[in-house]
mmCIF file of all heavy atoms in Angstrom:
data_model
loop_
_atom_site.group_PDB
_atom_site.id
_atom_site.type_symbol
_atom_site.label_atom_id
_atom_site.label_comp_id
_atom_site.label_asym_id
_atom_site.label_seq_id
_atom_site.Cartn_x
_atom_site.Cartn_y
_atom_site.Cartn_z
ATOM 1 N N THR F 9 88.658 92.951 70.314
ATOM 2 C CA THR F 9 88.710 91.939 69.256
ATOM 3 C C THR F 9 88.635 92.525 67.908
ATOM 4 O O THR F 9 88.606 91.838 66.869
ATOM 5 C CB THR F 9 87.589 90.924 69.406
ATOM 6 O OG1 THR F 9 86.317 91.641 69.368
ATOM 7 C CG2 THR F 9 87.725 90.182 70.734
ATOM 8 N N THR F 46 99.124 84.903 70.614
ATOM 9 C CA THR F 46 99.675 86.178 70.845
ATOM 10 C C THR F 46 100.603 86.599 69.763
ATOM 11 O O THR F 46 100.662 87.757 69.321
ATOM 12 C CB THR F 46 100.389 86.130 72.222
ATOM 13 O OG1 THR F 46 99.412 85.865 73.284
ATOM 14 C CG2 THR F 46 101.078 87.489 72.524
ATOM 15 N N SER F 54 94.442 86.996 77.902
ATOM 16 C CA SER F 54 94.430 86.544 79.351
ATOM 17 C C SER F 54 93.323 85.545 79.496
ATOM 18 O O SER F 54 92.295 85.614 78.840
ATOM 19 C CB SER F 54 94.146 87.711 80.327
ATOM 20 O OG SER F 54 92.877 88.186 80.189
ATOM 21 N N GLU F 64 87.097 80.332 82.855
ATOM 22 C CA GLU F 64 85.955 81.141 83.165
ATOM 23 C C GLU F 64 85.856 82.395 82.216
ATOM 24 O O GLU F 64 84.759 82.956 82.032
ATOM 25 C CB GLU F 64 86.000 81.585 84.590
ATOM 26 C CG GLU F 64 85.978 80.484 85.596
ATOM 27 C CD GLU F 64 84.698 79.694 85.581
ATOM 28 O OE1 GLU F 64 83.662 80.298 85.333
ATOM 29 O OE2 GLU F 64 84.714 78.491 85.808
ATOM 30 N N ARG F 83 82.338 83.446 97.550
ATOM 31 C CA ARG F 83 81.482 84.451 98.039
ATOM 32 C C ARG F 83 82.115 85.329 99.106
ATOM 33 O O ARG F 83 81.878 86.542 99.230
ATOM 34 C CB ARG F 83 80.204 83.873 98.598
ATOM 35 C CG ARG F 83 79.349 83.192 97.484
ATOM 36 C CD ARG F 83 78.026 82.682 98.095
ATOM 37 N NE ARG F 83 77.188 82.118 97.083
ATOM 38 C CZ ARG F 83 75.986 81.533 97.347
ATOM 39 N NH1 ARG F 83 75.515 81.573 98.606
ATOM 40 N NH2 ARG F 83 75.288 81.037 96.397
ATOM 41 N N GLY F 110 99.155 95.019 91.189
ATOM 42 C CA GLY F 110 97.950 95.749 91.710
ATOM 43 C C GLY F 110 96.692 94.983 91.529
ATOM 44 O O GLY F 110 95.875 94.943 92.457
ATOM 45 N N ILE F 139 99.509 86.612 96.758
ATOM 46 C CA ILE F 139 99.332 87.558 97.849
ATOM 47 C C ILE F 139 100.094 87.078 99.078
ATOM 48 O O ILE F 139 99.920 85.929 99.481
ATOM 49 C CB ILE F 139 97.846 87.803 98.176
ATOM 50 C CG1 ILE F 139 97.158 88.510 96.988
ATOM 51 C CG2 ILE F 139 97.705 88.548 99.478
ATOM 52 C CD1 ILE F 139 95.726 88.765 97.231
ATOM 53 N N GLU F 141 102.202 88.293 103.005
ATOM 54 C CA GLU F 141 101.814 88.781 104.280
ATOM 55 C C GLU F 141 101.501 90.298 104.317
ATOM 56 O O GLU F 141 101.950 91.024 103.365
ATOM 57 C CB GLU F 141 103.048 88.572 105.293
ATOM 58 C CG GLU F 141 103.398 87.109 105.481
ATOM 59 C CD GLU F 141 102.391 86.401 106.340
ATOM 60 O OE1 GLU F 141 101.452 87.024 106.898
ATOM 61 O OE2 GLU F 141 102.465 85.143 106.422
ATOM 62 N N THR F 180 93.285 88.397 108.119
ATOM 63 C CA THR F 180 92.295 89.432 107.736
ATOM 64 C C THR F 180 91.730 90.094 108.986
ATOM 65 O O THR F 180 91.331 89.502 109.898
ATOM 66 C CB THR F 180 91.108 88.713 106.976
ATOM 67 O OG1 THR F 180 91.594 88.143 105.762
ATOM 68 C CG2 THR F 180 90.073 89.830 106.653
ATOM 69 N N ASN F 198 95.297 123.831 84.846
ATOM 70 C CA ASN F 198 94.464 124.989 84.895
ATOM 71 C C ASN F 198 95.287 126.249 84.921
ATOM 72 O O ASN F 198 96.486 126.169 84.949
ATOM 73 C CB ASN F 198 93.580 124.919 86.119
ATOM 74 C CG ASN F 198 94.361 124.896 87.386
ATOM 75 O OD1 ASN F 198 94.958 125.869 87.835
ATOM 76 N ND2 ASN F 198 94.376 123.676 88.067
ATOM 77 N N GLY F 216 89.888 111.661 105.284
ATOM 78 C CA GLY F 216 90.289 110.309 105.768
ATOM 79 C C GLY F 216 90.749 109.363 104.667
ATOM 80 O O GLY F 216 90.771 108.191 104.888
ATOM 81 N N LEU F 267 79.624 110.914 85.863
ATOM 82 C CA LEU F 267 79.810 109.985 86.981
ATOM 83 C C LEU F 267 79.461 108.540 86.561
ATOM 84 O O LEU F 267 80.195 107.583 86.847
ATOM 85 C CB LEU F 267 78.904 110.417 88.167
ATOM 86 C CG LEU F 267 79.443 111.592 89.079
ATOM 87 C CD1 LEU F 267 78.357 112.019 90.020
ATOM 88 C CD2 LEU F 267 80.670 111.082 89.851
ATOM 89 N N GLY F 318 75.166 105.507 88.515
ATOM 90 C CA GLY F 318 75.657 104.186 88.184
ATOM 91 C C GLY F 318 75.632 103.353 89.423
ATOM 92 O O GLY F 318 74.694 103.222 90.183
ATOM 93 N N ARG F 347 60.813 116.429 98.949
ATOM 94 C CA ARG F 347 60.104 116.572 100.193
ATOM 95 C C ARG F 347 61.028 116.936 101.336
ATOM 96 O O ARG F 347 60.789 117.790 102.168
ATOM 97 C CB ARG F 347 59.289 115.363 100.516
ATOM 98 C CG ARG F 347 58.381 115.558 101.785
ATOM 99 C CD ARG F 347 57.495 114.361 101.969
ATOM 100 N NE ARG F 347 58.228 113.166 102.360
ATOM 101 C CZ ARG F 347 58.210 112.044 101.630
ATOM 102 N NH1 ARG F 347 57.489 111.982 100.492
ATOM 103 N NH2 ARG F 347 58.906 111.003 102.008
ATOM 104 N N LEU F 457 83.349 145.731 110.414
ATOM 105 C CA LEU F 457 84.701 145.620 109.956
ATOM 106 C C LEU F 457 84.946 144.162 109.690
ATOM 107 O O LEU F 457 84.609 143.288 110.365
ATOM 108 C CB LEU F 457 85.735 146.133 111.076
ATOM 109 C CG LEU F 457 87.196 146.036 110.728
ATOM 110 C CD1 LEU F 457 87.557 146.929 109.630
ATOM 111 C CD2 LEU F 457 88.018 146.319 111.996
ATOM 112 N N CYS F 466 101.773 130.247 102.806
ATOM 113 C CA CYS F 466 101.353 129.522 101.632
ATOM 114 C C CYS F 466 101.897 130.158 100.411
ATOM 115 O O CYS F 466 101.882 131.374 100.201
ATOM 116 C CB CYS F 466 99.800 129.390 101.530
ATOM 117 S SG CYS F 466 99.185 128.600 100.054
ATOM 118 N N VAL F 476 88.636 134.423 98.316
ATOM 119 C CA VAL F 476 87.914 134.980 99.428
ATOM 120 C C VAL F 476 87.248 136.284 99.065
ATOM 121 O O VAL F 476 86.075 136.577 99.386
ATOM 122 C CB VAL F 476 88.832 135.167 100.641
ATOM 123 C CG1 VAL F 476 88.112 135.822 101.793
ATOM 124 C CG2 VAL F 476 89.372 133.842 101.132
ATOM 125 N N LYS F 496 100.728 133.925 110.303
ATOM 126 C CA LYS F 496 101.829 132.891 110.244
ATOM 127 C C LYS F 496 103.071 133.461 109.771
ATOM 128 O O LYS F 496 103.865 132.847 109.071
ATOM 129 C CB LYS F 496 101.340 131.725 109.394
ATOM 130 C CG LYS F 496 100.019 131.059 109.807
ATOM 131 C CD LYS F 496 99.682 129.813 108.959
ATOM 132 C CE LYS F 496 98.341 129.251 109.305
ATOM 133 N NZ LYS F 496 97.993 128.023 108.584
ATOM 134 N N ASP F 509 97.192 149.601 105.180
ATOM 135 C CA ASP F 509 96.015 148.946 105.611
ATOM 136 C C ASP F 509 96.242 147.446 105.956
ATOM 137 O O ASP F 509 95.364 146.772 106.366
ATOM 138 C CB ASP F 509 94.916 148.970 104.580
ATOM 139 C CG ASP F 509 94.466 150.416 104.286
ATOM 140 O OD1 ASP F 509 94.472 151.280 105.261
ATOM 141 O OD2 ASP F 509 94.155 150.755 103.178
ATOM 142 N N ARG F 559 75.301 152.475 121.467
ATOM 143 C CA ARG F 559 75.834 151.626 122.569
ATOM 144 C C ARG F 559 75.896 152.422 123.875
ATOM 145 O O ARG F 559 76.616 153.418 123.934
ATOM 146 C CB ARG F 559 77.227 151.106 122.176
ATOM 147 C CG ARG F 559 77.802 150.143 123.170
ATOM 148 C CD ARG F 559 78.988 149.393 122.566
ATOM 149 N NE ARG F 559 80.058 150.304 122.149
ATOM 150 C CZ ARG F 559 81.089 150.670 123.017
ATOM 151 N NH1 ARG F 559 81.101 150.179 124.221
ATOM 152 N NH2 ARG F 559 82.011 151.468 122.598
ATOM 153 N N LEU F 561 76.978 153.426 127.356
ATOM 154 C CA LEU F 561 78.135 153.167 128.188
ATOM 155 C C LEU F 561 77.720 153.282 129.706
ATOM 156 O O LEU F 561 78.191 152.587 130.526
ATOM 157 C CB LEU F 561 79.276 154.175 127.865
ATOM 158 C CG LEU F 561 79.709 154.129 126.365
ATOM 159 C CD1 LEU F 561 80.782 155.132 126.170
ATOM 160 C CD2 LEU F 561 80.276 152.749 126.076
#
Side-chain angles (χ1 to χ4, degrees):
T9 59
T46 297
S54 72
E64 300 295 327
R83 293 184 180 180
I139 293 178
E141 298 288 350
T180 298
N198 60 74
L267 279 170
R347 184 174 68 240
L457 176 67
C466 176
V476 176
K496 305 184 183 181
D509 296 328
R559 183 167 60 91
L561 302 177

